[in-house]
Amino acid sequence: MTTHRAVAAIAALLLAALVVACGSSNPNEHVQSNEFFRPAAAESGQQAAAAGEDQPEQGQQQAADRPDDGDDSQQSESSRQADGQGSAQQAAADEEPDQDEDRPAAPASEDAPLDTSDDIVRRYTNPSYGYSFELVCSPFCDPNSNGIDRVSFLSETGRALIGVDVHEDDGSDGEMFLRSTLALTDNVEFSSVEETSLVTGESAVRFNWDEDRRATGGFQVRWHALLVRVQDVAIIMRVGAVLDDYDGVSQSLERAIESFLLPLEITARPGRYDRFDFTIAYDTADVSQEFGQPTNSPPSAEAGIFVLQSATALKAVLTWQVLGEAFYDGDTAIQQSLRDSLGIENITGLRDWGPVDGQQARTGETETQFGEGVMKIQSFAWYCRDGGREFALHVLDPDDPESVALPLIESFRCTTASEDDAAEAGGDE
């Protein structure tokens, strides 16, 4: 038991090191800042008179894809003042809001009067799956999430939550699927289950329930969940708040549900990361996240970090960056990436390992000691001529990191077209 706790502590420290290395904020390039902005009361009369309109000023700003561009360069001063700092978010079910003051959302109708509060509404768009919804600030003032299959947004007080999970659709009964996915106990009863639809026409089912966790030191929480099943994926949007605070944030929660949109086509699938013209498969039980390099920018084809975390520990870190082949050195790639992403300097046994998608790889290992526990790390590096990028993979396991790395390495392709091209070439023969 002592060893297990020590290993868990090591994993927690390594995860913390990764978060620190990746910075306090990792902007999502699909956040549309200031989609609706309402001026403060002192300014509203002058602006309305000058514009001759009752409608709030609208603008859509897209954060840059390039690693050298920061989030600040894409947002107005008002947005920057309202932005909270982002981080890799893992929302537990008993993390909810204490928000006594919540302002109503921006008016949707052109005939509606201007609300002169200073709220900002941003539309978050998931870069992999393309779904989107609106976040009202306050209480949800951080529109950035590093999550891929799972995203979550906590209120400023941590007592309200908006989250979306994407899963493979197993075709099971909707209520059973929801209970299993959200780990709801049998004593949780739905107050209502309603057939509904998104504004874009897709069918959905809405579940409403209260969950009492006071017996275990938690809170009484009011939840709503929207289940959408489309194109072989099941998407669950869950919103909720501590019951004592629910009335103060209910309009913000409802706005997220009512503004939820799907793209015309969902091409991404859980368990496969192929955002930047390379692909790697992973276990859908793991939590997948992405970060940028440098830390004040979103991930891009030029540079980024892909992270896998199991239920209890950091599992794997994949980094990439554009680099001329003449400058590539596998040992240097391993050492630099290990230092920059996990803060670990010592690496031993650097040697040839074998091919990764036909490219010769180097490998090395290290151990991190903490009390009686040991976390082993095995690192790999290779160069993809297609795209001109070096990749480094670090896999963590207390016993055998190489066996954990093998499925990841075997699934890796330097370009997303590699498998299709190979199939076509085989057919031509």
Side-chain angles (χ1 to χ4, degrees):
M1 179 65 70
T2 302
T3 300
H4 176 76
R5 289 177 178 173
V7 170
I10 295 169
L13 287 175
L14 292 174
L15 181 59
L18 174 65
V19 172
V20 170
C22 291
S24 61
S25 179
N26 185 63
N28 181 288
E29 71 268 35
H30 290 263
V31 172
Q32 300 166 352
S33 301
N34 288 351
E35 184 175 9
F36 300 98
F37 174 72
R38 286 179 274 171
E43 305 172 3
S44 61
Q46 296 176 355
Q47 292 190 6
E53 297 176 347
D54 288 333
Q55 206 41 22
E57 179 182 353
Q58 298 187 19
Q60 296 184 351
Q61 300 181 358
Q62 197 80 354
D65 278 353
R66 297 181 297 120
D68 292 335
D69 291 339
D71 186 48
D72 289 347
S73 66
Q74 296 298 310
Q75 295 184 343
S76 67
E77 183 64 25
S78 298
S79 175
R80 286 196 294 266
Q81 291 174 356
D83 272 50
Q85 291 189 333
S87 64
Q89 300 184 17
Q90 293 297 314
D94 38 35
E95 292 177 297
E96 292 103 14
D98 183 12
Q99 186 73 22
D100 295 330
E101 180 181 349
D102 181 51
R103 306 178 182 88
S109 168
E110 293 184 357
D111 297 326
L114 174 66
D115 186 331
T116 57
S117 65
D118 59 351
D119 291 350
I120 295 174
V121 180
R122 298 180 178 90
R123 177 168 288 276
Y124 165 83
T125 301
N126 183 272
S128 291
Y129 295 98
Y131 66 77
S132 67
F133 56 91
E134 292 179 349
L135 294 168
V136 178
C137 174
S138 63
F140 298 98
C141 292
D142 180 5
N144 303 312
S145 173
N146 296 24
I148 299 173
D149 301 329
R150 178 183 304 170
V151 302
S152 57
F153 301 90
L154 286 174
S155 66
E156 295 166 305
T157 59
R159 290 164 60 94
L161 169 71
I162 297 174
V164 180
D165 289 27
V166 182
H167 302 270
E168 296 173 310
D169 190 357
D170 62 7
S172 63
D173 173 77
E175 182 172 333
M176 292 178 57
F177 181 84
L178 190 81
R179 284 185 177 277
S180 174
T181 301
L182 300 184
L184 299 180
T185 60
D186 293 337
N187 61 358
V188 172
E189 297 183 1
F190 297 117
S191 57
S192 63
V193 179
E194 309 160 3
E195 296 286 341
T196 184
S197 61
L198 306 183
V199 294
T200 46
E202 293 87 0
S203 298
V205 182
R206 174 167 172 160
F207 299 82
N208 306 297
W209 74 97
D210 287 353
E211 189 171 5
D212 194 343
R213 299 187 173 186
R214 290 173 294 182
T216 56
F219 300 92
Q220 191 172 6
V221 185
R222 178 154 294 168
W223 293 106
H224 309 288
L226 197 66
L227 172 61
V228 186
R229 309 175 96 158
V230 61
Q231 299 174 23
D232 299 325
V233 297
I235 303 174
I236 297 176
M237 166 177 265
R238 179 178 56 157
V239 306
V242 171
L243 192 58
D244 290 343
D245 307 322
Y246 179 81
D247 290 343
V249 297
S250 61
Q251 292 187 60
S252 299
L253 300 179
E254 287 297 327
R255 182 168 189 130
I257 293 175
E258 293 172 0
S259 65
F260 187 79
L261 299 176
L262 290 179
L264 293 176
E265 183 180 7
I266 298 175
T267 57
R269 288 294 179 272
R272 194 164 194 85
Y273 184 74
D274 56 4
R275 271 243 294 147
F276 300 112
D277 198 30
F278 71 87
T279 184
I280 188 169
Y282 58 93
D283 188 341
T284 55
D286 295 331
V287 175
S288 55
Q289 297 173 287
E290 56 185 5
F291 299 84
Q293 294 190 75
T295 57
N296 64 345
S297 63
S300 70
E302 285 72 31
I305 304 175
F306 171 70
V307 177
L308 291 175
Q309 185 182 358
S310 70
T312 58
L314 182 63
K315 181 175 181 179
V317 177
L318 175 71
T319 70
W320 66 93
Q321 65 173 340
V322 169
L323 186 72
E325 187 173 6
F327 299 98
Y328 167 73
D329 179 81
D331 295 357
T332 301
I334 288 174
Q335 293 167 335
Q336 180 177 318
S337 175
L338 188 64
R339 181 186 67 242
D340 293 348
S341 62
L342 292 173
I344 296 175
E345 296 281 355
N346 57 313
I347 185 79
T348 61
L350 290 166
R351 62 193 184 277
D352 286 337
W353 185 77
V356 178
D357 193 22
Q359 313 301 313
Q360 179 62 48
R362 294 281 288 175
T363 191
E365 54 271 323
T366 188
E367 293 182 351
T368 297
Q369 295 184 349
F370 186 86
E372 299 179 11
V374 173
M375 177 64 73
K376 297 179 180 180
I377 305 173
Q378 184 156 358
S379 302
F380 307 83
W382 62 93
Y383 187 83
C384 288
R385 291 180 176 85
D386 292 334
R389 293 178 289 190
E390 73 171 22
F391 289 84
L393 173 67
H394 311 287
V395 178
L396 301 85
D397 188 80
D399 300 315
D400 186 6
E402 185 173 23
S403 65
V404 177
L406 283 175
L408 297 170
I409 290 174
E410 291 170 355
S411 71
F412 181 89
R413 296 294 180 269
C414 284
T415 66
T416 54
S418 294
E419 293 181 348
D420 294 337
D421 291 346
E424 289 177 8
D428 293 340
E429 293 176 0

